[in-house]
Amino acid sequence: MLKPPPMRSLLEKTFTTHDGTQLFYRHWPATVASEPRRAVVLFHRGHEHSGRLQHVVDELNLDGFDMFAWDARGHGRSPGERGDSPSFGASVKDVDAFMRHIANHHGIAASETAIVAQSMAAVLVATWVHDYAPQVRCLVFTAPAFKVKLYVPFARPGLRLLQRLRGNFFITSYVKARFLTHDPERIRSYDEDPLIARAISVRILLGLHDAAERIVADAQAIHAPLLLLVSDTDWVVHRAPQEAFFERLGSKIKEKHVLPGFLHDTLGERDRAIAFDRMRDFLARMFDAPFAPVSLRDAHRQGYAYEEEQALRRALPAWSWRNLNFALTRVSMRTLGRLSEGIRTGLATGFDSGVSLDYVYRDRAQGRLGLGKLIDRGYLDAIGWRGVRIRKQHLDQAIGQALSALKSLGMAIDVADIAAGPGRYVLDALAQSDIAPQSIVLRDYSDINVARGRSEIEQRGLTAIARFEQADAFDAAAIAALTPAPTLVIVSGLYELFSDNDRVARSLDALGRTMPAGACLVYTGQPWHPQLELIARTLTSHRNAEPWVMRRRSQAELDELVRSAGFDKIEQWIDEWGMFTVSLAMRAPAARCA
C-alpha cells in the first residue's frame, strides 16, 4: 500500500451556487509554483464528502497543482437534506457553478484543469461535460455509476410508481463498507464517519439513472481526453454501461484500465497504488502536451450527428412496422388531430414556425368539440413542447442577466432579435425587468410574423422605442445594417433548424462584427431530443412544408461557432432532459478576437 507524504495545508471555503446556496469546499494550494496555474478538481462518491479525499490529494502528490474538492449539496458540510438535491440537473448545474468559481475566483482556466470523479460523481461530471461543453484539460472517471445494481426485480419502475403516489422519499443504502474496499482502515473510517449520508432521495436515484442512460447513448458528444478505471469486482454498479460509454466516447485520447479484484471504492482500495500510478501517468502526459481542443466546425459534413440526420432523411421500407406506425400517426394528425388548435396551427404554418411556437408558449389547450381540447392538451404536454416552455423560462433569465450586465457596465441597452417570430416572448421577457432598453429591433423573415409582431408592439404602446423589420437572419449585410448597433442580441430557436455550420457561422460572424465589445448574445441550442425520428417522420417544417428533420448540434459544436465569432460564454441553462440549452455570451474586446 502507498505510504503517503505529509499532508498538504488545507483551506476551507464556500462558494455560491446557481440558486444562491452556499456550498462547502476544500482547497489544497500548490506547494510548487507553476505558470500558468494548474488544478485537479476531485468529486467524491455518493454518500461521502470531500474530507474523505484528503488521502487522494496526498497520494497523488502533485505539488505543482492546486487541488479542490467540494461537499456536494446534501452531503458533508454543505446544506440541504442529506442525500438530496432539488433535482439531478440542479446538481449538475452546481458542478458548473463550482468550476466557474475556481476559474473566476482562483484564476485557474478550465483548460488548465483536470477532473477526477468517482462513482455517482462521474455521472454528474459526464453530464456536465456533455451538456455544458467546458474546455477542460482531461477527465479521470473511476467506477462510474452509469447503472446502479439495485438487485430487487423491477426496482426502478416500482420506485417511479411510488414517487408518483408519494412524491419524493428516501432509500437507505444497502451498501456496507466491506463491499466497497478491502482496506481495513477505509472500512473502519466509513463505518465511523458521522458525515456519511447513508440515504439517497428517489428523485436523485432516478435522475441519476435517466441522465446516465442519455449520456451513455450520446457519449460521442464528449471529446475531452479521458482515463477510465474499472473496478473488476464491483458489487455496486454494472460494468456493461461503463464499457458502452467508453466505446462510444468521442474523445481522440481515451484509455481504459480494468483493475483485477478491485471493489467499488477504486481510489480507496487496498492496492490503490496501481490506480494512482495510472492516474499520475495520464495527468502528466495530458499536461505535458499543449492544450488542443477538438474542432467540430465540420460536424455538418461528417460524424455521428451528420449520419443520424442522413438516416432521418432516408425513407423507411414501405411495409416496415415503423413506417406503417408513422403513417398512421400522420393520418391521425391530419384527420382527428385537426380538432386540436395546436396541431391545426402546425399543419398550416409548420410545426417549427414562430406562430406555432408562440401557441406552445401560451400553453392554453384549445380545440373544437370537447375532444379537440383534450387532444390539444396531450399535444402541448409532449416532452418536446414541455422542454420548449422551460427554454422560454431560461430565456427570460438569460435576458434579465444580460440587461443587468449591460447596466453594470454603463452601456446603452439596444436590443435586437434577428429571428423573433411574432416577438411576444422577447417583449414579455423585457417587460419582466425593471431595466428599460433604449431601443428594440425585432426581425423575422415571415410576412405573418412581421404583421403580428408590429401589432404586438402597437398594442403594448412601444412604438416610440420598438420596431419590427422583415429581414433574413443569415444575411450578413442586413445584420450589419442594424441601427443602432445592438448591445443585446437574442437568437432563439433559429440555428437548431439549420444543419449547415457555414450558414450559422456567417450569421454569428456578422453579429460579432456589428456588436461592440461588452455586448451580450443570448443563443439557444438543441444537443439532444428523444423524439427526433417521430418529429422527422410525422411533422412538417415551415420551409415548404417539408419534413421537419433536425441535426442535433452538440453544445461543444455550437459554442465553438460562437467563440469563433468573438464571444465568450459566461452562463448557460438547460432543462432536466438535456434537450434545450440557453447560453449567455459576451462580445470580447477587439484584441481578443484578432
Side-chain angles (χ1 to χ4, degrees):
M1 192 174 71
L2 284 173
K3 182 179 180 180
M7 289 176 60
R8 270 207 215 181
S9 63
L10 167 65
L11 301 174
E12 296 181 346
K13 296 177 176 290
T14 62
F15 74 98
T16 304
T17 191
H18 57 96
D19 63 356
T21 303
Q22 295 277 320
L23 299 184
F24 174 83
Y25 72 97
R26 289 174 163 89
H27 173 207
W28 297 266
T31 57
V32 176
S34 67
E35 184 59 41
R37 287 179 65 189
R38 293 173 167 177
V40 175
V41 184
L42 308 171
F43 288 87
H44 61 77
R45 298 190 311 105
H47 307 294
E48 299 202 2
H49 57 89
S50 61
R52 293 183 60 77
L53 297 177
Q54 177 71 54
H55 80 99
V56 178
V57 174
D58 296 329
E59 293 171 26
L60 267 178
N61 195 23
L62 298 174
D63 293 342
F65 288 75
D66 286 74
M67 310 284 277
F68 298 89
W70 74 352
D71 284 1
R73 186 191 298 252
H75 293 76
R77 291 165 61 181
S78 284
E81 194 162 5
R82 301 298 84 182
D84 196 19
S85 172
S87 68
F88 188 82
S91 293
V92 175
K93 194 161 177 63
D94 286 342
V95 174
D96 189 58
F98 184 38
M99 297 304 294
R100 289 183 186 278
H101 173 79
I102 291 171
N104 297 331
H105 182 76
H106 294 281
I108 306 175
S111 60
E112 299 297 334
T113 302
I115 295 177
V116 178
Q118 306 177 66
S119 187
M120 176 178 168
V123 183
L124 269 178
V125 171
T127 306
W128 172 65
V129 173
H130 178 282
D131 291 354
Y132 289 80
Q135 291 194 296
V136 294
R137 179 64 65 118
C138 60
L139 307 167
V140 177
F141 290 169
T142 73
F146 289 121
K147 188 174 183 181
V148 177
K149 293 181 178 179
L150 296 181
Y151 293 102
V152 178
F154 308 109
R156 289 181 183 84
L159 290 173
R160 291 190 194 280
L161 178 60
L162 285 173
Q163 186 185 30
R164 291 191 189 98
L165 296 174
R166 295 172 50 187
N168 191 39
F169 59 97
F170 290 81
I171 301 170
T172 300
S173 172
Y174 64 86
V175 178
K176 305 299 182 184
R178 66 179 182 273
F179 298 133
L180 298 173
T181 176
H182 294 99
D183 184 338
E185 175 57 27
R186 291 288 291 176
I187 292 172
R188 184 198 61 77
S189 65
Y190 186 92
D191 287 338
E192 296 177 359
D193 193 334
L195 292 180
I196 295 289
R198 301 185 185 279
I200 184 172
S201 74
V202 70
R203 68 178 161 205
I204 295 303
L205 184 62
L206 294 177
L208 168 71
H209 176 265
D210 293 344
E213 280 197 331
R214 173 170 66 88
I215 298 307
V216 170
D218 201 42
Q220 301 99 319
I222 296 176
H223 298 277
L226 180 135
L227 170 65
L228 175 63
L229 298 179
V230 178
S231 290
D232 180 54
T233 311
D234 197 325
W235 294 92
V236 178
V237 301
H238 290 273
R239 180 168 164 180
Q242 298 175 3
E243 301 280 359
F245 171 79
F246 184 80
E247 291 302 317
R248 294 171 184 162
L249 195 64
S251 307
K252 289 183 177 179
I253 301 173
K254 57 181 180 179
E255 297 180 15
K256 179 182 67 176
H257 297 281
V258 179
L259 305 176
F262 271 53
L263 295 175
H264 184 62
D265 186 10
T266 313
L267 301 185
E269 258 289 20
R270 180 177 53 207
D271 298 323
R272 58 185 177 269
I274 301 169
F276 277 88
D277 287 343
R278 299 282 192 274
M279 285 198 298
R280 203 177 293 106
D281 174 69
F282 180 76
L283 293 172
R285 285 185 282 115
M286 293 305 100
F287 280 93
D288 284 345
F291 179 63
V294 174
S295 176
L296 302 172
R297 182 63 176 75
D298 292 328
H300 61 300
R301 297 188 181 97
Q302 58 186 348
Y304 74 98
Y306 166 79
E307 293 167 1
E308 180 182 73
E309 178 194 16
Q310 298 308 304
L312 292 175
R313 294 191 183 280
R314 287 193 292 269
L316 295 171
W319 296 105
S320 68
W321 169 248
R322 283 167 60 210
N323 189 54
L324 293 173
N325 187 44
F326 288 130
L328 180 61
T329 301
R330 290 193 298 270
V331 170
S332 299
M333 293 181 67
R334 284 158 178 75
T335 53
L336 199 60
R338 289 185 180 274
L339 296 174
S340 154
E341 182 64 26
I343 294 176
R344 190 164 63 251
T345 299
L347 290 170
T349 66
F351 288 89
D352 59 349
S353 69
V355 173
S356 183
L357 287 179
D358 198 42
Y359 183 81
V360 170
Y361 285 151
R362 289 199 295 271
D363 194 25
R364 293 194 296 270
Q366 301 176 60
R368 299 171 182 174
L369 310 177
L371 181 60
K373 191 172 183 178
L374 187 64
I375 294 171
D376 203 49
R377 184 71 268 160
Y379 169 76
L380 290 170
D381 285 345
I383 188 169
W385 292 144
R386 281 185 284 157
V388 162
R389 287 193 291 274
I390 292 173
R391 183 183 71 181
K392 183 182 183 301
Q393 296 172 17
H394 291 160
L395 279 165
D396 291 346
Q397 293 179 51
I399 291 170
Q401 187 166 324
L403 293 173
S404 296
L406 292 171
K407 182 179 179 181
S408 68
L409 291 172
M411 297 182 66
I413 300 176
D414 296 305
V415 179
D417 188 317
I418 61 174
R424 185 198 304 269
Y425 82 94
V426 182
L427 298 176
D428 283 347
L430 294 172
Q432 291 179 21
S433 174
D434 58 1
I435 302 174
Q438 277 78 56
S439 69
I440 305 170
V441 179
L442 305 182
R443 287 180 165 185
D444 202 85
Y445 191 72
S446 162
D447 294 337
I448 297 173
N449 289 337
V450 172
R452 291 192 178 194
R454 287 173 176 168
S455 175
E456 189 75 26
I457 288 171
E458 290 180 6
Q459 290 175 20
R460 294 175 184 245
L462 296 174
T463 53
I465 63 167
R467 66 183 189 274
F468 209 116
E469 302 173 346
Q470 187 167 27
D472 183 348
F474 295 103
D475 184 339
I479 290 174
L482 278 166
T483 306
T487 56
L488 169 56
V489 171
I490 302 148
V491 191
S492 172
L494 174 68
Y495 297 147
E496 301 92 302
L497 303 180
F498 296 88
S499 172
D500 187 354
N501 278 347
D502 294 336
R503 193 174 190 182
V504 173
R506 283 195 296 271
S507 175
L508 285 167
D509 290 345
L511 288 172
R513 291 191 299 271
T514 304
M515 298 166 65
C520 292
L521 172 68
V522 174
Y523 61 100
T524 63
Q526 181 185 280
W528 172 261
H529 201 300
Q531 295 181 325
L532 274 185
E533 185 171 27
L534 175 65
I535 292 169
R537 306 288 183 193
T538 62
L539 303 186
T540 52
S541 169
H542 70 284
R543 291 171 284 174
N544 302 318
E546 62 187 30
W548 184 7
V549 178
M550 292 177 283
R551 182 180 72 82
R552 293 186 297 122
R553 183 178 280 113
S554 72
Q555 191 65 29
E557 180 186 341
L558 177 59
D559 287 349
E560 180 183 349
L561 293 168
V562 170
R563 194 163 49 247
S564 297
F567 297 91
D568 294 323
K569 186 171 76 172
I570 58 176
E571 184 59 278
Q572 185 190 306
W573 297 260
I574 189 169
D575 56 78
E576 286 290 326
W577 307 287
M579 292 188 295
F580 299 109
T581 65
V582 175
S583 302
L584 172 61
M586 185 169 286
R587 179 70 169 84
R592 144 71 173 76
C593 308

